[in-house]
Amino acid sequence: MTRSARRSNPVRQWRRRALGAILLLLIVLVAVVAAFPLVWMLLSSLKTPAESMQTPPVWIPSSPNFSAFGEVADVIDASRSFWNSAVIATTTTAGILVTSLMAGYAFAKYRFKGRDLLFAVLISTMFLPPIVVLIPLYRMVTYMGLNGDLFGVIVPYLANAFGIFLMRQFIAGVPDDLIDAARVDGASEIRIVFSVVAPAVVPAIAALALFAFVYHWNTYLWPLTVLQGNTDDYPIVLSLGRLLSYNRGAMNTSLVMAGATLAVLPPLVLFVFLQRFFVDSIVSTGVKG
Amino acid sequence: MVSPAVALIGVFIFVPMVLTIWLSFHQWSTQTGFGTAEFVGLRNYRDIFGPISVGRDFKRAFSNTAIYTALSVVLILPLSVALGLLVYQSRVAGGNLLRTVLFSTYMVPMIAVALVWSKLYSPTEGPINQILSWVGIGPQPWLSSPDTALVSIVILNVWQQVGYFTVLAIAGLTQIPTTLYEAARIDGANPIQEFFGVTLPLLRRTLLFSAVIAVINAVQVFEPVALITQGGPANATNVLTYHIRRVGIERAQGGLGSAMAVMLMLSLIVVIILIFALARQREERT
């Protein structure tokens, strides 16, 4: 059978269309189910308090308004929480970028005794759930006088194994000639890391920055443990927890949903605009067969 | 060049890890310095496995975590492959949009996920029971009954995490040479044979990696429990991360909490070794 004959076969063509329609339906269905909780959150944040508590539930707010957002801002000092989250996420991210670039460079381009063992030991910490070290770490931070302090939230997380791993993977692909040329020109090793190697691995840096930022924006367990009721320094995710206890009596759903929306927006907006970097880094790091 | 990273990871991960093990053999109040720890041998371990209330709570938290983890992995892995195929196929458009929607849930802070789902699950004003009623299914108690609370949190977890594993699955799919599919088609394989003969075997490494990550993520569940259920109803959602923090930080029983943390770490090591052994066995058989 020739190609054109096959294409014009009506049964085959019908089957093909049916399959396409089923796939399309599936895609739409999955996307709707996946997006539903976030859409519900957004819709609920625009409802009046009474409307958000109605039975059976009201899906579309009758007179959408942002008053719940204003109330959130009053109750939890949202701008302060936002600022704290931004401070935690950006300083941690900056620290991770610097330490990971340096270590990744060394592991990719230096030969030193025990290199592979050290690398393996560092990488193994990637698989350690934070709860395992939480109790002594809490005490150590107290020793350092950082209990109840934003620095206590930040300092233990200025380096991590994932960052080192990601950087090593990408820096291994930077040509040695480029680095040698910089050495011949008399550049110091630190200078080589930040002005020769770093510009060559910008996509990896972007990916790591995004992952670190989102992770530390979202993280809850450690700040909760360190800050211990020092609500002035609460990041937005902790303030969100306060919001729930604040209105446990009245259970004002629209208020809680407005708070959740505020906490979700920064990481989500970052992701939607920069998702290529996330996806590329996942694709290029772990799982090549 | 490696020293800043090594120093930080050493001080903030390795030192506390060794301290956790050391503390697990001591009676120690978290409110006081390490110097006040009093050596008690294996007593903490005897207590957490003993018949007293400390032991009952720990064993319940342990089994809850095990069930939660197993269910999460069993749901996430097949779903991630199915969704990965749906995104990766090139027959109809919309795959990339679907990937964006799925992965965006992974960016949402767990605390917000927990709050939103607690409302979705609400037996009276929640939309889930309403939707179920449209298709003739009666209202479910979700988070408020000990029989359904843990499963409800698993569903919430799967919703949040599956996008990440879908991207991993897609990464695995792109690694499969198209010539293998062509060869299978020439041999007369139908799509189902193609899936089990080519796709699934070649996704094995991806699935192995995914399983390990899914296990490690699952044992860290904290926010939904801490914020919505507080371990209840009737201890049904008391999981290890929540329980260890409650014992070790809130009740300041640092030695006891450390012994629990050590058990968690040991169990994780065993589970991960088992997953690798299972994968290797499969590899040898094929």
Side-chain angles (χ1 to χ4, degrees):
Chain A
M1 217 190 302
T2 66
R3 214 194 171 101
S4 58
R6 199 187 285 172
R7 194 172 292 156
S8 63
N9 181 333
V11 176
R12 208 172 254 280
Q13 209 172 37
W14 182 83
R15 255 200 181 158
R16 205 182 194 112
R17 274 197 199 144
L19 186 65
I22 291 170
L23 281 175
L24 202 61
L25 195 71
L26 261 177
I27 288 176
V28 171
L29 198 71
V30 172
V32 167
V33 171
F36 179 71
L38 291 179
V39 173
W40 185 263
M41 172 187 78
L42 205 63
L43 287 174
S44 297
S45 72
L46 301 176
K47 292 171 190 167
T48 62
E51 208 171 28
S52 71
M53 301 302 297
Q54 225 159 297
T55 309
V58 180
W59 287 56
I60 308 293
S62 56
S63 55
N65 65 85
F66 290 93
S67 60
F69 288 87
E71 207 183 328
V72 168
D74 288 346
V75 174
I76 62 168
D77 196 352
S79 55
R80 179 91 198 238
S81 303
F82 246 83
W83 171 250
N84 292 334
S85 284
V87 168
I88 293 171
T90 48
T91 47
T92 318
T93 302
I96 289 171
L97 287 180
V98 170
T99 54
S100 301
L101 262 169
M102 290 172 66
Y105 171 62
F107 281 118
K109 298 296 184 191
Y110 288 1
R111 290 165 180 277
F112 54 92
K113 220 176 156 216
R115 181 188 69 173
D116 294 343
L117 180 70
L118 183 63
F119 185 71
V121 169
L122 288 181
I123 291 308
S124 69
T125 64
M126 212 156 79
F127 302 102
L128 189 78
I131 186 68
V132 172
V133 297
L134 187 85
I135 296 168
L137 192 58
Y138 164 73
R139 191 66 219 171
M140 286 166 64
V141 165
T142 309
Y143 269 121
M144 296 173 185
L146 296 177
N147 201 353
D149 196 305
L150 269 186
F151 279 110
V153 179
I154 294 164
V155 170
Y157 291 97
L158 292 174
N160 71 49
F162 172 72
I164 298 171
F165 178 70
L166 190 80
M167 284 304 142
R168 193 195 77 148
Q169 294 283 100
F170 277 82
I171 293 172
V174 177
D176 288 343
D177 293 348
L178 197 67
I179 295 162
D180 289 338
R183 279 190 191 132
V184 169
D185 289 347
S188 68
E189 289 300 294
I190 288 287
R191 174 115 197 238
I192 290 174
V193 171
F194 293 104
S195 42
V196 178
V197 173
V201 293
V202 164
I205 292 174
L208 180 58
L210 288 171
F211 268 114
F213 187 90
V214 171
Y215 182 87
H216 289 284
W217 182 280
N218 292 352
T219 187
Y220 185 82
L221 177 62
W222 179 243
L224 178 73
T225 305
V226 173
L227 294 176
Q228 298 266 2
N230 172 16
T231 53
D232 279 350
D233 282 345
Y234 269 18
I236 188 87
V237 291
L238 286 190
S239 295
L240 208 49
R242 273 179 71 217
L243 207 55
L244 194 71
S245 52
Y246 160 81
N247 91 108
R248 182 151 280 153
M251 280 308 273
N252 180 346
T253 299
S254 56
L255 187 66
V256 176
M257 293 297 148
T261 306
L262 286 178
V264 165
L265 279 180
L268 210 58
V269 168
L270 261 184
F271 165 69
V272 168
F273 285 107
L274 301 168
Q275 59 164 314
R276 186 169 62 87
F277 293 110
F278 283 91
V279 173
D280 285 355
S281 76
I282 294 180
V283 172
S284 57
T285 44
V287 286
K288 278 179 187 159
Chain B
M1 216 33 96
V2 291
S3 41
V6 170
L8 283 163
I9 292 176
V11 170
F12 293 111
I13 296 183
F14 282 105
V15 168
M17 198 168 88
V18 172
L19 279 169
T20 299
I21 298 170
W22 181 79
L23 287 168
S24 75
F25 299 110
H26 290 74
Q27 180 172 354
W28 172 63
S29 163
T30 316
Q31 294 305 325
T32 58
F34 293 124
T36 63
E38 183 195 334
F39 184 75
V40 292
L42 290 171
R43 199 181 78 197
N44 290 328
Y45 290 95
R46 268 207 306 276
D47 284 352
I48 63 175
F49 285 108
I52 53 172
S53 70
V54 171
R56 276 201 304 274
D57 285 349
F58 170 73
K59 281 180 277 188
R60 185 68 198 268
F62 192 91
S63 66
N64 281 341
T65 303
I67 295 168
Y68 176 89
T69 304
L71 270 179
S72 297
V73 175
V74 164
L75 288 172
I76 283 175
L77 288 193
L79 258 178
S80 71
V81 173
L83 296 173
L85 286 170
L86 202 56
V87 171
Y88 188 61
Q89 55 78 30
S90 50
R91 198 180 289 267
V92 294
N96 281 339
L97 186 72
L98 180 64
R99 190 190 66 193
T100 303
V101 173
L102 285 172
F103 198 53
S104 64
T105 66
Y106 191 67
M107 297 293 131
V108 177
M110 197 42 157
I111 197 79
V113 174
L115 289 175
V116 172
W117 279 77
S118 75
K119 302 301 176 192
L120 296 178
Y121 277 138
S122 164
T124 48
E125 77 262 11
I128 294 183
N129 273 347
Q130 192 190 24
I131 292 169
L132 288 181
S133 75
W134 293 340
V135 292
I137 299 172
Q140 304 296 315
W142 299 115
L143 295 164
S144 53
S145 155
D147 297 330
T148 50
L150 193 62
V151 176
S152 302
I153 296 183
V154 170
I155 295 172
L156 165 168
N157 179 51
V158 170
W159 173 80
Q160 203 233 1
Q161 303 250 315
V162 80
Y164 175 77
F165 292 95
T166 302
V167 173
L168 284 182
I170 298 165
L173 288 171
T174 57
Q175 303 289 321
I176 301 175
T178 49
T179 48
L180 286 177
Y181 288 109
E182 283 156 19
R185 229 163 287 157
I186 289 166
D187 289 345
N190 64 35
I192 292 165
Q193 287 167 328
E194 224 174 86
F195 176 75
F196 286 102
V198 179
T199 311
L200 209 50
L202 287 166
L203 275 182
R204 199 167 35 219
R205 275 162 192 274
T206 303
L207 288 175
L208 174 69
F209 182 74
S210 295
V212 171
I213 301 292
V215 166
I216 290 161
N217 285 357
V219 301
Q220 294 183 42
V221 57
F222 180 76
E223 289 93 329
V225 174
L227 218 74
I228 305 173
T229 65
Q230 275 105 35
N235 255 340
T237 61
N238 189 17
V239 289
L240 276 178
T241 298
Y242 181 69
H243 191 62
I244 291 171
R245 188 181 178 279
R246 187 157 64 176
V247 171
I249 305 283
E250 284 171 21
R251 295 186 197 149
Q253 296 171 311
L256 215 49
S258 294
M260 295 175 182
V262 170
M263 290 320 299
L264 171 63
M265 193 161 57
L266 286 178
S267 325
L268 264 180
I269 292 171
V270 169
V271 168
I272 290 169
I273 289 173
L274 277 177
I275 293 174
F276 273 99
L278 197 76
R280 179 164 302 168
Q281 204 183 15
R282 282 255 177 88
E283 204 152 348
E284 273 163 14
R285 221 184 300 145
T286 48

